[in-house]
Amino acid sequence: MPAGTAPAAVARDWRTPVEILALGAVWGGSFLFMRVAAPAFGPYALVELRLALGALVLLPFLWLARAQFPLRLWPRLAAIGIINSAIPFLLFAWAAQRAPAAIGAICNAMTVLFAALVAFLAFGEKIGLRRAVALVTGFAGVVVLATAKVSGLTLGPAVLAGATASLLYGVGLNLVKRYMVGLPPAASAAVTLGCSALLLLPLAVTHWPTGPVPAVAWASAVGLGVLCTGLAFIYFYGLIHRIGAARTSTVTYLVPLFGALFAWLLLGEAVTLKMVLAGALILGSVAISQRAR
């Protein structure tokens, strides 16, 4: 073995879990940002800022790859953007107005299961017994979460919104897998986010907040768009390129944990026994599903 090879491998092995941890923290933090900003902005204005800022961060990648994006592709990419970004972002922002940040973060973990279910129902992919068990377990977790209460608040509507957003993410993942093959991911994300921002703009303008927006809400909205959407996409695709999609997907387990932790530490939001049980069921189902690959 050449000199220096082993230390380099050790360095890479040390860096990878730290990077996955960092991405989990960033995406977990997105639910904290939504919880802080959504009451002041409302879902339409907040999501418009998120989409537009995320697209601006990714715009240089689109400019460099512009030859690969003829106009005939844009309607398809815009449709994928609506399914995979605009509507799920709106649903999570709506839920953030009505439930603790941990609720959206826990529901988000269902994306992996919904992606498998959509692939089975719409595209004929085999699901297998283990993955079927995972789906049933995950849905049981959603039912437990929907029947929970926090500080007297009924969580059912927020859980339904979060689960629907995750279902749309699952649809979007399948569409990306089949209809965006060969396109540079960061540039493609710039198109989908940018088109979604343009399509949502009329609703954002008509629903723009009429009163002053607190500085903390503005900071959360900027963090949501720049850090949790634009920069996180770049980081995410970089990790996939370096360590592969399977290892990168382990970030799914960290997002609910960081979402609940940040909400508890910074907002004082309670984490109930039912929330813990639901999170365990959903994350356990994701683990079963991942092993079924």
Side-chain angles (χ1 to χ4, degrees):
M1 181 180 293
T5 299
V10 170
R12 285 195 299 272
D13 288 342
W14 172 85
R15 188 177 68 180
T16 295
V18 172
E19 289 179 335
I20 291 174
L21 198 69
L23 184 59
V26 168
W27 277 343
S30 69
F31 294 93
L32 173 71
F33 288 148
M34 282 189 281
R35 182 65 170 153
V36 172
F41 281 101
Y44 294 109
L46 177 59
V47 171
E48 177 65 26
L49 288 170
R50 179 178 187 177
L51 291 167
L53 290 171
L56 284 173
V57 170
L58 296 167
L59 192 58
F61 295 91
L62 176 59
W63 176 255
L64 291 173
R66 61 190 183 278
Q68 294 177 254
F69 291 88
L71 287 178
R72 60 182 173 79
L73 289 182
W74 284 60
R76 179 195 301 172
L77 295 175
I80 292 174
I82 292 170
I83 294 168
N84 200 40
S85 299
I87 299 177
F89 287 178
L90 284 170
L91 288 168
F92 276 126
W94 184 88
Q97 292 179 291
R98 293 161 175 81
I103 299 304
I106 293 169
C107 289
N108 184 72
M110 289 289 293
T111 298
V112 174
L113 304 178
F114 279 126
L117 181 62
V118 171
F120 169 68
L121 293 175
F123 299 102
E125 288 191 11
K126 292 182 179 179
I127 197 166
L129 178 61
R130 187 188 294 271
R131 191 162 282 174
V133 171
L135 285 167
V136 172
T137 305
F139 292 137
V142 170
V143 171
V144 170
L145 194 61
T147 58
K149 285 190 176 183
V150 177
S151 302
L153 296 175
T154 300
L155 303 180
V159 172
L160 179 60
T164 304
S166 297
L167 171 60
L168 290 172
Y169 279 157
V171 174
L173 286 173
N174 278 278
L175 295 177
V176 168
K177 179 180 176 181
R178 286 162 176 81
Y179 300 113
M180 293 173 63
V181 177
L183 295 175
S188 299
V191 175
T192 57
L193 292 173
C195 289
S196 296
L198 288 174
L199 292 169
L200 187 63
L201 184 58
L203 282 172
V205 170
T206 56
H207 291 79
W208 197 261
T210 54
V213 176
V216 66
W218 273 109
S220 296
V222 172
L224 186 63
V226 173
L227 176 62
C228 301
T229 306
L231 294 177
F233 265 112
I234 299 170
Y235 196 49
F236 175 64
Y237 291 127
L239 271 177
I240 289 176
H241 179 73
R242 192 169 64 80
I243 66 173
R247 291 184 69 187
T248 303
S249 68
T250 57
V251 74
T252 305
Y253 304 103
L254 300 174
V255 173
L257 301 179
F258 277 111
L261 178 64
F262 290 153
W264 175 64
L265 287 176
L266 301 176
L267 301 180
E269 293 185 343
V271 178
T272 68
L273 181 60
K274 270 197 171 183
M275 289 168 63
V276 173
L277 175 59
L281 285 169
I282 291 172
L283 290 177
S285 68
V286 172
I288 296 170
S289 178
Q290 297 284 70
R291 287 185 61 189
R293 289 182 175 182

